[in-house]
Amino acid sequence: MTWVAVLVAAGGCYLLKLGGLSVPPRVLERPLVSRVADLIPVALLAALVAVQVFADGRHLVLDARVAGLATAVVLLLLRAPFLVVVFGAAAVAAGLRLL
Amino acid sequence: MPSDSDTLPAAERAAIVRDSLGVGVATGVYGVSFGAVSVAAGLDVWQTCALSLLAFTGASQFALVGVLASGGAPLSGAAAALLLGTRNTLYGLRVAGLLRWTGWRRAAAAHLLIDESTAMSVTRGTTPAARLGFLTTGVTIFVLWNVFTLLGAMAGTAIGDPRSYGLDAAVGAAFLALLWPRLRDRRALVVALAAAAVAVVAVPLSPAGVPVLVAAAVALLAGLLGERR
């Protein structure tokens, strides 16, 4: 099943790219399409952050991942590069689990 | 308007290549975090590398493995990846008139259509300049993203339980870093907070993977309500 998901995602992502290069631009000129397309990544990424940090299966938990997220926020405010943010969050979470 | 000229002054060409390589290298190496996170989520090295080779769009790849990591059904993960992939459609609509490729060239260029290749081409004034920025950025990132995905996946497989290295916390941090530049816009910030709240509320109420999809409805609602801009 994981392979099915990988191949569906890969094929679909390619077609979404090709579709954008091939569709007449007037579709985008419809304001509703443009606004929703613009906001969907924001909503999805925010939801993914929340689920990654607070969910354990179908339960909500507070654990070392919250400290990892707080670290990421601080590093982003300091304008740290992407890799520093990602591995900084991992390092803090790992450190807390060692205690 | 794009010009039909196929020639670029040497200085402009050099500047575009330099800028594109810089962005490409900086972006490509974070394939290492995708590789590590993906094997931590339970995908094998082959599946991880197939995603980087064939899907080649970072946020969608992280979304797929993120949903799987939280125990979601594989097809919920694929659905989240596709929803995030819609942003590349939007980029395509914006750059199509500037790049002006047709036939097999358009089909090949489509694979390289991501945030960074769009950003490095959409600001150029002519078609040759836009194409040079798009291709230099896209090819550089494609090569490095795949090499570093493999390195990250192999390292991630070698180190044992990913939780003891905090890699589960790294996924949330990666998503937040991808989202961060958008939060300067007040409406985007409101949508982000509402979507996060909806997802958290949905976690105990629905199977894993579904909360992320439910949160996408916030974008739809905000789009329907927002008449401004």
Side-chain angles (χ1 to χ4, degrees), chain B residues 50-85:
Chain B
L51 269 177
S52 281
L53 275 171
L54 301 174
F56 185 54
T57 175
S60 294
Q61 295 178 228
F62 273 112
L64 174 58
V65 303
V67 170
L68 293 184
S70 61
L75 287 179
S76 311
L82 292 180
L83 277 170
L84 275 174

Side-chain angles (χ1 to χ4, degrees), chain A residues 1-25 27-28 32-60 63-65 68-69 72-73 76-77 79 82-83 85-87 89-91 93-95 97-98, chain B residues 29-30 32-33 43 46-47 50-51 54-57 60 63-64 66 70 74 78 80-90 92-93 95-96 106-107 110-111 113 163-166 168-177 179-180 182 187-188 191-192 195-196 199-200 203-206 212 215 219-220 222-224 226-227 229:
Chain A
M1 270 313 276
T2 302
W3 269 114
V4 174
V6 167
L7 295 176
V8 167
C13 284
Y14 175 74
L15 290 176
L16 286 168
K17 293 174 180 174
L18 183 62
L21 279 183
S22 310
V23 165
V27 174
L28 184 64
L32 176 64
V33 175
S34 166
R35 276 200 307 271
V36 173
D38 190 47
L39 290 174
I40 276 181
V42 172
L44 276 177
L45 287 170
L48 282 163
V49 171
V51 168
Q52 286 304 314
V53 173
F54 298 110
D56 182 11
R58 293 181 65 166
H59 301 283
L60 294 172
D63 62 17
R65 289 175 294 175
L69 185 72
V73 170
L76 285 165
L77 287 171
R79 298 172 185 273
F82 183 88
L83 280 180
V85 173
V86 171
F87 288 109
R97 286 186 182 134
L98 281 178
Chain B
V29 296
Y30 73 64
V32 74
S33 59
L43 281 77
W46 292 108
Q47 290 163 338
L51 269 177
L54 301 174
F56 185 54
T57 175
S60 294
L64 174 58
S70 61
L82 292 180
L83 277 170
L84 275 174
T86 55
R87 135 185 134 282
N88 292 325
T89 307
L90 186 77
L93 289 165
V95 296
R106 179 160 70 193
H111 197 50
L113 182 65
R163 285 178 174 248
S164 55
Y165 297 87
D168 52 340
V171 189
F175 287 134
L176 184 66
L179 174 62
W180 195 259
R182 291 297 310 274
R187 175 155 68 170
V191 167
V200 165
V203 162
L205 303 176
S206 57
V212 174
L220 191 60
L224 285 169
E227 291 299 329
R229 276 210 318 198

